[in-house]
Amino acid sequence: MREEKVLAVREFTRWSESYDRSILQWLLFGPSHRAMIRRIRQTMGDRPFRLLDIGCGTGVFAALVRRELPRAEVWGVDLVGGMLTKGQARWREHRSSVLPVQGDSENLPFDSCVFDVVTCANSFHHYPRQDRAVREMGRVLKPGGRLLLVDGYRDSLWGWFIYDVCVATVEGSVHHASARRFMDLVGGAGLGLAAQTVHHNLAPFLLNEGVAGAGMPEPHFRRSRTTTAHDSSARD
Ligand SMILES: C[S@@+](CC[C@H](N)C(=O)[O-])C[C@H]1O[C@@H](n2cnc3c(N)ncnc32)[C@H](O)[C@@H]1O
């Protein structure tokens, strides 16, 4: 296993104990989860759909999906057994429609073209081969399926300080991609970039949206770039 992944396993095995009580649930994870739920509701409407949450951790987002979007069938995948184990009560509560699996984002243990929605929240900066992970996300999506990928927004001065200085110092070998880099990764994986939305909270985050099989756009396909505040510049 590559060094970055060994570090991620060590970090999250240790953090799993207190993860659900972390202040980041309030500062970053909760707001980013709610932003994804809003977008999924807007794009999926009342249809039943199958969702894969990559880097699902203790299942906080999976449980929220089930509460807010009861027609969803949810799969979660995470590299770290300790995080999945810590979410046991959630997996049990939603066992009829939520299935956790241990696996690596860069080599997803799923067939191709099986999910309508793929989500990945606050996990992407841990992946050493981000290009491979996005290709995997595209592979498991059905044509027309949606990718929602959230990670810390590091293109503003404040974001750079939080993620590239503070988080990188605490977590070690992590890489928060710029908005420009996300564009390239999503395009390089053969997905259409539908939108990028910057959320300028205390812990700012960037929601990237992709569409699989962008050669055959769905009616809701939007090719746009949206920011909620002044700073839309992207730095690598
Ligand atoms: C900060 S937590 C985010 C958890 C959850 N997505 C959320 O928003 O609350 C990052 C998660 O990514 C997982 N992770 C790290 N590297 C991974 C990889 N290569 N494949 C799958 N999961 C990974 C970690 O184990 C951890 O559970």
Side-chain angles (χ1 to χ4, degrees):
M1 198 186 279
R2 282 178 68 134
E3 198 204 329
E4 294 94 328
K5 287 188 196 168
V6 174
L7 282 177
V9 171
R10 202 177 301 150
E11 177 189 341
F12 285 103
T13 303
R14 198 172 45 230
W15 196 10
S16 61
E17 245 343 280
S18 59
Y19 183 81
D20 287 355
R21 300 189 302 275
S22 164
I23 192 173
L24 289 176
Q25 297 290 349
W26 171 74
L27 267 179
L28 175 61
F29 304 155
S32 64
H33 293 172
R34 289 192 292 278
M36 292 199 300
I37 293 281
R38 278 195 297 277
R39 288 300 297 142
I40 297 169
R41 186 178 283 124
Q42 281 163 6
T43 50
M44 300 312 292
D46 285 339
R47 281 177 284 167
F49 62 97
R50 188 180 289 165
L51 179 149
L52 171 66
D53 186 35
I54 300 175
C56 62
T58 58
V60 176
F61 179 66
L64 184 67
V65 171
R66 279 299 305 166
R67 268 200 306 279
E68 297 289 324
L69 306 163
R71 304 208 69 188
E73 174 189 320
V74 183
W75 294 70
V77 65
D78 201 286
L79 184 66
V80 180
M83 290 294 277
L84 295 171
T85 304
K86 206 60 201 165
Q88 244 165 12
R90 282 190 195 99
W91 310 126
R92 212 175 295 127
E93 183 187 345
H94 298 283
R95 64 180 167 277
S96 58
S97 45
V98 179
L99 278 157
V101 176
Q102 189 168 6
D104 188 344
S105 60
E106 296 173 6
N107 189 15
L108 292 172
F110 301 102
D111 289 339
S112 302
C113 305
V114 286
F115 293 101
D116 303 287
V117 178
V118 169
T119 55
C120 179
N122 311 303
S123 177
F124 196 71
H125 57 280
H126 291 283
Y127 306 162
R129 293 292 314 273
Q130 295 182 332
D131 54 341
R132 193 178 292 180
V134 180
R135 273 205 304 277
E136 279 292 90
M137 294 169 187
R139 179 183 68 74
V140 299
L141 273 171
K142 295 176 185 172
R146 308 287 297 198
L147 169 66
L148 288 98
L149 208 176
V150 171
D151 214 350
Y153 178 66
R154 46 76 70 200
D155 291 340
S156 64
L157 189 59
W158 177 238
W160 166 82
F161 176 69
I162 295 182
Y163 297 112
D164 284 5
V165 178
C166 301
V167 175
T169 304
V170 172
E171 294 193 329
S173 191
V174 294
H175 181 69
H176 287 86
S178 66
R180 173 77 247 172
R181 171 93 178 123
F182 274 116
M183 270 183 195
D184 293 345
L185 286 169
V186 170
L191 299 164
L193 185 71
Q196 286 186 309
T197 311
V198 181
H199 292 254
H200 285 279
N201 305 334
L202 198 52
F205 62 88
L206 176 68
L207 171 55
N208 300 277
E209 297 181 48
V211 182
M216 299 170 285
E218 291 268 289
H220 58 252
F221 181 83
R222 302 180 289 133
R223 191 166 194 93
S224 66
R225 178 182 161 90
T226 315
T227 54
T228 51
H230 58 284
D231 185 5
S232 61
S233 62
R235 289 183 302 165
D236 257 318

